[in-house]
Each structure stands twice: as C-alpha cells, then as structure tokens.
Amino acid sequence: MFKRLRGLFSSDLSIDLGTANTLIYVRGRGIVLDEPSVVAIRQSGNMRSVAAVGVDAKRMLGRTPGNITAIRPMKDGVIADFTVTEQMLQHFIRKVHQSTFLTPSPRVLVCVPCMSTQVERRAIKESAEGAGAREVFLIEEPMAAAIGAGLPVEEAQGSMVVDIGGGTTEIAIISLNGVVYSESIRVGGDRFDEAITAYVRRHYGSLIGEATAERIKEEIGCAYPGGELREIDVRGRNLAEGIPRSFTLNSHEILDALQETLASIVTAVKSALEQSPPELASDIAERGLVLTGGGALLRDLDKLIAEETGLPVIVAEDPLTCVARGGGKALEMIDQHTFELLSSD
Amino acid sequence: MSDIHDNDVADFAPQSSPGDLLKRERERQGMPLDEVATALNLRPAVVRGLESDNYDEVPVAAYRRGYLRAYSRLLGIDDKPVITAYNNRFGGAETDRKVTPVHVTKPPSKLGAWLFKLVTLLVIVALIALTLLWWQSREGTDLLGMGGGEPVAVDTLDGTTITEGEADSEPLPPLPDDESDLGLVDDAPLTGDDALLADDPLLTDDAQPSVPADEPTGDPLVEAPALAEAPSEEGLAGEATAEDEPAVGDLADAASAEIEEAAAADDDGAADPGIIQLTFNEQSWTEIFDAGNQRVFVGLQEPGTQATVEGEPPFRLTVGNATGVELRYLGDQVDLVGYAGSNNVARFTLGE
C-alpha cells in the first residue's frame, strides 16, 4: 500500500537495460539518463558497497585497485550479477527522481531480449522490483526498437528491425503489434571490441583494454570496404617486451578484425529473411530493414547489409536511444490498454 | 571535398526542398538516377519520388527520413541539412500524426497527477497536524487532570466539600474531629475519622440550615467530644459513651440527636451518586474514571489524606493497596477488600 502511495510521487519509467548502456526514459520528460551499465564495487572485509555507478564506474573499468572491482552486471543482454544489477537500477531510478523526498516507486517498463528465457526475464523483473519498482512490464527489445524507430508496427505490414546492442543482436519481423519472427544472437558491440582486442594481440603482440578497443571501434571501425582510410594511434602493453608500446591502426585492419563478427550478423539477417512469410518478405523487400542500437553506428554497416541482402537498409534516427524511446512510447500506451505490445512473464 | 558540399547545402538549406538538394547534388556528381536506385536497393520510382518531394510511394515517415539519409550518405553529403529541410517542409504534419496518441493522454493526466499529488500531500499534512494536535491536547488534559486531581485529593478537598454543602470553609472541624472520634463511633456508622471530617460540615449545615455560621458548627462538636473524652480515656470506647449519654444531660442529648440527624443528612448529602469519598490510611495509587471515561482522579496518595471525587456515575475505580483505603459512596462504606485481588488492588465499578 505504501508502495502505491510512493508511486504517486514517481514517474513511469522505461528502462533499456542494455549490456553496454542503460537508458531511462521518463514519461513526459523523455530520455533523462544514458549511462554505461557498469558498477564499481568496493570490497572492505566482508562488506561490499557500491563505489560508483555509470559513467564514473566505467572510467574505473580496468583501472581499479585490488579492493574495487568494476563490474558490468549485464552480459549478453541478460543479467549476469543479480544483486549488482539491482543496485545499479536502484541508483539509476533514484537518480532520475532527484527531487522526490520519498523513495521512488515507479511503474517500470523494461526491455528484454526477445530470445531470453523465462528465468532471465524473471530475473530482470525481480531485479527491477527489488530496485523499488511498483509494477514491472516487460517488452521485447526489437518491438521497442521498432516503435522507437517510428515503424508502423500496428499496421498489417511487415517491418523488419535489426537492433545491434552491446551484447546481443535482435532481429525481428513485426506486424500488427506482434513479433512474427525473431532471432537473437549473442553478438554485439562487445563482440566487436573483443575481435579488435584479439586482432591487435595477434598482429601487434600487444594487449589493449576494453575501453581502448571501444575507442578504436568508434573512431575508425567500419563494416564495408571502400570508404576513406582512417588511422588511429593506440597504446598497448607489448606482450613480448612487457612495456607499453604505441602503434597505429587503420580502418582496413579493423574491417578485417570485424569480418567474422559482421558475417554472423549478416547470416542471422539472411536467415530471418528466409524464415519470414512471403507477404511480409515482400513488404520488407519494398521498404527495407531498419538498423537500430549502438551497432548501427558502425560505419557503413547499412551498406554491408544492403549489399548482402539486396534490400534497402536504413539506419534509424538516433539509433542508440531507439529502444528506450520505443519503450517510452509503449509506456504511454499502457494506459490506452494496448497491452498486446507487452510481453508476458 | 565533402566540406564544400556541406557549405553548398547549408547555403541552400533554408529555401530548398530536400528533393532539390539531393537532385542537384546527384546531377552535379553526374550520377544517373538508376545507379542511385540500385545502390540504395530502392525502386527508381521511389528515388524519383524523393527527388520531387513526392512521398506517395513511402507512406511511413520513418522510412522517408531513412531513405533521405541513406541517399545523402550515398552522395557523400551531410544528411543533416536534408533532414532539416524535410522537417521544415513536411515535419509538421508528420509529427502531428506521431504525437497525437501521446498528446491525448498526457496533459490531463499530468495535471490530474499534480492535483492528486498536491491533494495527497495536503491530506497527509492535515493528518499529521491533527495527530499532533490530538496528542498535544491529550497530554494537556492529562496534566490538567493531574494538576486538578492532586490538590482536590489533598488540599482543596475540604474546601470543595464545604462549598458543596454551602458552608464556609473553616479550619475548625478537623480539630474537634480527631477528639470526637471515639465518641462518634456508635452514633454514626462511621469508622474513619476522615469520613466524619467530610461529614462534619454537612452535619452542621443541616442541623442549622438557616445559619451557615462557624460558631454553631463548632459548638456541638466540641461539646460532644468533650463529653466523650473522659470515658474514652479509660478505654471504654463505645459502651462508655452510651452509658455516659444519659448522664451528660441535655447538651449531650442534643448533640447526639444532632449527630444522628447529621448522619442522616450526611446520607442525603452523600447520596449524591456523583461523589465518592476516599480516605487513605496508607499510601495508595488510585485512579477513577467516570461514565464519560474521563479520568476524574488519579495519583499516588499519601497516608492520612482524603479525597472527594465528583463525576458522572458509574465510576470505574482502580485502588491500589486496597486494605489501606476507605471508600464511601452513597453514604455507605464500600468494602474494598472484597474487590481486591491477590495483589491487593481493587478494580471495580461503582454506581452502575
């Protein structure tokens, strides 16, 4: 009952609980929080306390002393560390409710990967409840992404959305507010980073951290050959000499590094198209597929997929926030009784 | 190179339509339309539609913007001016369509929510204030009760009783009282001197209703004890008094008659069911509630004190150390020991 009372002082939230970033959309206010899903835990004796969350914690990744561990509690789109996720959510929910003196107890819509298991969904739901949510709704990520990208999900027309997140890539064909076909592969931005790290180790004998790999990807990463050649200077620890060394990478090398990962995404897209009913396939062929998620920002990824599939490919506007915005729109529709959008437990 | 184009586009942006921008750029690069269509995997009709700002082929806004962006990037120009141009020209209608469902629910609910929040807050504040007030008032009456109760019990008791009997308060009655103790035992069915003490003023009052003067009150009382004094010294107590009575003569007769009358009158007076008279021979903690559940008397009473309690019957009493307390109600001695439990605390109700 008290939760309900506190709920009066809380706004409804839509949370895109992603492997890489967590975004929170507040009803009536838009996206108010976009922070990395990283938590720094300080261990003193048997006591574990949260040292930092979000941006601050991400800065600590790979740079922590022995008593602090920077954790990414989400892995492959699902919860890897339940309690830490709960604490992170709690922190974020408080953060977006700064002005309230009561502990907020909002209604929360959380996006879950479409292929996640019952257990994983339950974990997310309970984690959100543990973080103080009064009521938790789940929505499948590609559905939220499609709504966020402005696709006509409620029409009897096939729309295809490819959401490349940090941990997973979700591919779905949507029609009439429902997911006709969906596929989730555990390949995403993280896998790009890993591929780059592995490539650098193999070809330069140097070890680079996650953050550096991500920077390389963002600055010179590309998915399709033919663009202008870009270069970046990076420093990594040389494995043979054991001392930090500086070297230069170019975009072709990164393209090479990403080949395998990109291929798996393309394969998944193709297989989705193979599986789609012919009417919907023709709709998709006519209009094309939409890329959302942080992975869509990889240079020329749309070109690669267009080339491979022969379909028009468009990148959604502001792809990073598509899922959160879509969740937000779904949240607005909760009161209009459009519950079919929401996935059950 | 792209910088130059950006500038070009920026120059044209305000007045140009997105289709114009794209078409001009494509023609400048000498790229045939079919080639663009192939590169974008779009039908040539769609591309033609984009260039002529005719979006019949593309009903969904998200796709239109997507195509425009893809086209811009294919041409190697910045997509922002194109999208801005598109928004300027067609954005209005489109956003309307997009926002409508959201808009319908939001404003009233927002206002309602605010009102609701405000009202809830007010109600909570009011409740807290009321609770505080109640608490304070409760504390206050408690203190009042204590303050009023104690003096009544110990000091002002006589005064109030006398006032009740419409007689002036006076320091005299207690004095003869102690002495008359033994002499009165037989005449009045009273055993405690305190009961007498309380009675005395009434007694005198009734005996001389017309004159509420001090002198007459004192006289018979002083005389009666004086008469009884001698035998009492010999330890003869009641019997002695009885024997003496005829001997003492008229005065004594008159006195005893008066006393009898007084006792009767006292009964009348004490017959007021709203008055309880208490005598504490030993220390006792006593609490009395009246019919209105109002605490009319409470406190730890010292030995040798008396109290008269007024209130609305029935009374709910809790008398500690019951053996050391005498209680008169409706003129009768109430047997507290009968009510007392094993811990010598009497809990009972009077005047039901």
Side-chain angles (χ1 to χ4, degrees):
Chain A
M1 197 225 112
F2 197 57
K3 254 191 174 183
R4 197 161 275 271
L5 185 73
R6 289 192 327 215
L8 296 174
F9 299 91
S10 322
S11 331
D12 292 348
L13 306 179
S14 150
I15 302 181
D16 172 14
L17 191 57
T19 314
N21 290 295
T22 295
L23 284 86
I24 298 188
Y25 176 102
V26 177
R27 188 172 180 168
R29 278 165 64 197
I31 290 174
V32 294
L33 183 131
D34 178 2
E35 290 201 33
S37 310
V38 185
V39 182
I41 302 281
R42 175 180 287 118
Q43 182 115 25
S44 46
N46 281 331
M47 289 285 290
R48 289 177 89 206
S49 59
V50 176
V53 180
V55 182
D56 301 337
K58 192 179 182 182
R59 234 173 273 138
M60 298 182 186
L61 261 184
R63 299 192 172 106
T64 51
N67 64 331
I68 297 179
T69 23
I71 304 175
R72 299 180 63 173
M74 305 289 292
K75 202 168 176 64
D76 296 338
V78 293
I79 291 179
D81 190 324
F82 187 83
T83 42
V84 174
T85 307
E86 199 173 298
Q87 279 169 328
M88 184 179 77
L89 274 180
Q90 204 165 9
H91 174 90
F92 287 152
I93 290 177
R94 288 237 181 93
K95 197 166 178 178
V96 301
H97 278 100
Q98 277 166 337
S99 54
T100 333
F101 63 97
L102 287 167
T103 324
S105 178
R107 289 198 301 180
V108 170
L109 182 103
V110 190
C111 308
V112 292
C114 56
M115 296 298 274
S116 57
T117 62
Q118 289 268 317
V119 178
E120 290 161 344
R121 284 173 193 222
R122 190 70 171 263
I124 287 178
K125 199 169 181 173
E126 282 180 10
S127 166
E129 277 165 1
R134 171 167 42 119
E135 230 177 318
V136 182
F137 305 97
L138 300 179
I139 185 169
E140 293 187 331
E141 257 166 39
M143 177 58 88
I147 298 171
L151 303 188
V153 290
E154 71 287 344
E155 286 175 22
Q157 293 217 334
S159 312
M160 184 166 178
V161 62
V162 178
D163 177 43
I164 305 167
T168 58
T169 293
E170 318 263 332
I171 299 154
I173 296 167
I174 292 162
S175 174
L176 289 170
N177 283 338
V179 176
V180 178
Y181 172 86
S182 71
E183 172 74 79
S184 176
I185 52 169
R186 304 214 157 174
V187 171
D190 288 350
R191 206 52 79 77
F192 292 147
D193 297 347
E194 282 166 27
I196 291 170
T197 312
Y199 180 88
V200 170
R201 193 173 54 222
R202 208 179 309 127
H203 290 85
Y204 290 87
S206 287
L207 212 55
I208 54 169
E210 264 177 71
T212 310
E214 194 175 347
R215 192 161 57 87
I216 295 169
K217 175 184 74 180
E218 282 166 6
E219 290 191 12
I220 63 165
C222 71
Y224 193 74
E228 60 180 300
L229 192 74
R230 290 153 188 265
E231 289 189 340
I232 188 173
D233 277 337
V234 286
R235 281 155 203 85
R237 179 162 59 85
N238 191 296
L239 286 169
E241 299 171 33
I243 51 169
R245 281 264 175 257
S246 174
F247 47 92
T248 307
L249 290 169
N250 65 41
S251 51
H252 285 321
E253 288 173 303
I254 301 306
L255 175 64
D256 191 18
L258 298 179
Q259 259 332 303
E260 204 179 320
T261 321
L262 289 169
S264 62
I265 292 176
V266 170
T267 314
V269 172
K270 279 185 181 167
S271 104
L273 288 167
E274 275 168 28
Q275 306 278 333
S276 68
E279 279 303 325
L280 296 181
S282 103
D283 288 344
I284 294 160
E286 167 76 27
R287 293 165 165 201
L289 57 88
V290 178
L291 294 182
T292 67
L297 292 172
L298 186 66
R299 195 165 293 108
D300 290 339
L301 182 62
D302 53 339
K303 220 180 244 182
L304 172 75
I305 295 175
E307 179 76 22
E308 292 284 335
T309 58
L311 299 178
V313 176
I314 60 177
V315 178
E317 263 171 295
D318 202 1
L320 274 170
T321 61
C322 262
V323 173
R325 277 186 289 128
K329 278 188 198 167
L331 199 63
E332 315 266 4
M333 286 190 272
I334 284 178
D335 293 336
Q336 298 178 340
H337 312 290
T338 318
F339 283 105
E340 62 219 82
L341 287 174
L342 306 175
S343 115
S344 56
D345 207 351
Chain B
M1 183 177 149
S2 65
D3 286 346
I4 297 160
H5 296 316
D6 282 358
N7 292 339
D8 286 351
V9 167
D11 290 343
F12 286 110
Q15 64 269 30
S16 303
S17 76
D20 279 347
L21 290 173
L22 292 169
K23 189 172 183 185
R24 206 176 298 133
E25 180 61 29
R26 178 179 64 80
E27 283 168 353
R28 207 187 59 76
Q29 292 185 12
M31 198 187 268
L33 191 137
D34 286 349
E35 199 179 304
V36 172
T38 318
L40 292 176
N41 292 324
L42 290 171
R43 282 182 291 121
V46 175
V47 179
R48 213 168 293 125
L50 290 177
E51 287 189 355
S52 56
D53 299 320
N54 170 15
Y55 301 109
D56 293 344
E57 298 273 348
V58 197
V60 180
Y63 288 110
R64 286 180 203 164
R65 292 153 174 274
Y67 294 161
L68 289 174
R69 272 201 308 275
Y71 195 173
S72 315
R73 262 184 297 161
L74 179 75
L75 295 175
I77 59 170
D78 188 7
D79 56 8
K80 279 198 188 93
V82 179
I83 295 298
T84 314
Y86 171 81
N87 284 345
N88 288 343
R89 202 161 265 231
F90 307 98
E94 175 200 309
T95 38
D96 263 357
R97 226 188 69 196
K98 246 165 57 179
V99 171
T100 325
V102 176
H103 224 73
V104 171
T105 51
K106 235 174 41 183
S109 76
K110 206 176 176 186
L111 186 70
W114 265 108
L115 267 176
F116 200 56
K117 278 180 192 177
L118 204 72
V119 169
T120 318
L121 242 165
L122 281 176
V123 167
I124 291 171
V125 167
L127 277 175
I128 290 170
L130 276 175
T131 314
L132 279 174
L133 269 175
W134 173 76
W135 186 258
Q136 206 125 32
S137 69
R138 194 170 150 269
E139 294 267 286
T141 51
D142 233 349
L143 287 170
L144 279 176
M146 293 287 278
E150 267 167 355
V152 163
V154 185
D155 300 324
T156 53
L157 162 72
D158 295 339
T160 41
T161 328
I162 288 156
T163 320
E164 196 78 352
E166 284 161 17
D168 294 339
S169 67
E170 37 166 330
L172 275 174
L175 278 170
D177 227 3
D178 290 345
E179 293 166 276
S180 67
D181 210 348
L182 287 166
L184 289 171
V185 168
D186 280 357
D187 300 319
L190 301 176
T191 44
D193 33 2
D194 311 275
L196 271 172
L197 171 94
D199 292 343
D200 283 344
L202 291 166
L203 170 153
T204 44
D205 240 359
D206 284 85
Q208 271 129 7
S210 51
V211 190
D214 297 3
E215 286 77 18
T217 322
D219 288 344
L221 280 167
V222 173
E223 279 161 322
L227 292 168
E229 219 160 82
S232 73
E233 275 163 16
E234 292 156 26
L236 287 170
E239 294 91 328
T241 328
E243 281 167 18
D244 287 341
E245 256 175 36
V248 276
D250 302 347
L251 198 57
D253 276 338
S256 66
E258 271 174 2
I259 288 164
E260 266 168 17
E261 274 176 30
D266 182 33
D267 277 355
D268 292 340
D272 182 354
I275 294 177
I276 298 175
Q277 292 162 336
L278 292 153
T279 307
F280 299 97
N281 298 327
E282 292 171 31
Q283 201 179 45
S284 160
W285 189 87
T286 303
E287 188 178 33
I288 302 176
F289 290 93
D290 75 352
N293 214 16
Q294 192 86 29
R295 190 146 58 167
V296 291
F297 181 82
V298 69
L300 184 68
Q301 306 302 325
E302 292 304 316
T305 59
Q306 303 152 354
T308 300
V309 179
E310 291 172 50
E312 191 110 329
F315 296 96
R316 203 148 47 74
L317 298 94
T318 304
V319 182
N321 196 9
T323 47
V325 180
E326 287 162 20
L327 192 153
R328 269 175 71 84
Y329 183 66
L330 294 173
D332 291 327
Q333 179 87 23
V334 177
D335 179 24
L336 291 178
V337 184
Y339 292 113
S342 57
N343 53 359
N344 202 18
V345 174
R347 286 194 181 82
F348 59 100
T349 307
L350 267 184
E352 269 179 316

